[in-house]
Amino acid sequence: MGIDNYITLAVGFLLFITGFITKKRTGVYDWLYIILGFVIICIGILRAFGLIKLN
């Protein structure tokens, strides 16, 4: 697993967690961050296992 996969997973994780942190401040979840973070995490996992290639 290359460094780019770690970066992809880290960005996805940060977006995903940010969606839940906004619940404390605004009272509602930020679904855009949660969904976008989840999709990026999935892409990072699929790239780590070599199931997809993004150039």
Side-chain angles (χ1 to χ4, degrees), residues 7-28:
I7 293 170
T8 303
L9 289 172
V11 168
F13 182 72
L14 288 173
L15 283 171
F16 190 74
I17 295 302
T18 301
F20 288 106
I21 290 175
T22 57
K23 169 81 166 137
K24 288 184 175 181
R25 294 184 181 189
T26 62
V28 293

Side-chain angles (χ1 to χ4, degrees), residues 15-16 18-20 22 28-38:
L15 283 171
F16 190 74
T18 301
F20 288 106
T22 57
V28 293
Y29 295 111
D30 194 342
W31 292 107
L32 177 65
Y33 283 137
I34 293 172
I35 293 169
L36 187 61
F38 181 75

Side-chain angles (χ1 to χ4, degrees), residues 1-14 40 44 47:
M1 196 156 94
I3 191 73
D4 56 335
N5 287 344
Y6 287 122
I7 293 170
T8 303
L9 289 172
V11 168
F13 182 72
L14 288 173
I40 292 174
R47 285 181 66 194

Side-chain angles (χ1 to χ4, degrees), residues 33-54:
Y33 283 137
I34 293 172
I35 293 169
L36 187 61
F38 181 75
V39 168
I40 292 174
I41 290 170
C42 290
I43 290 171
I45 291 171
L46 291 173
R47 285 181 66 194
F49 289 118
L51 298 174
I52 61 171
K53 270 193 162 183
L54 299 175

